[in-house]
Amino acid sequence: NKELAAQGFGNIAAGFLGGIPGCGTTMPSIVNVSSGGRTLISGVFCGLLLLALLLGVGKIASLIPLSVLA
């Protein structure tokens, strides 16, 4: 529930700051918890890993047409 509330607040903030609200997936969190990750560190590590992947392959992902992502 905390993750969904944080996502909602993030979407509200994005709207006020001119960003585009988005819908993420909770699958990384589900995998994290089912693998035994119960602490804050495990959640932060998962988020940092996703950020690193996004920054690492962001240029490649930008070549994907928006119609394909929809």
Side-chain angles (χ1 to χ4, degrees):
N1 288 342
K2 291 179 184 179
E3 183 176 354
L4 294 175
Q7 182 178 352
F9 288 130
N11 282 340
I12 291 169
F16 282 121
L17 297 173
I20 300 174
C23 176
T25 178
T26 58
M27 195 52 136
S29 296
I30 293 170
V31 171
N32 193 12
V33 170
S34 65
S35 298
R38 302 262 192 258
T39 64
L40 178 64
I41 294 172
S42 63
V44 170
F45 178 73
C46 182
L48 290 176
L49 180 65
L50 290 174
L51 178 64
L53 285 172
L54 177 67
L55 293 176
V57 296
K59 293 186 185 240
I60 297 170
S62 69
L63 299 174
I64 300 172
L66 290 178
S67 58
V68 173
L69 296 176

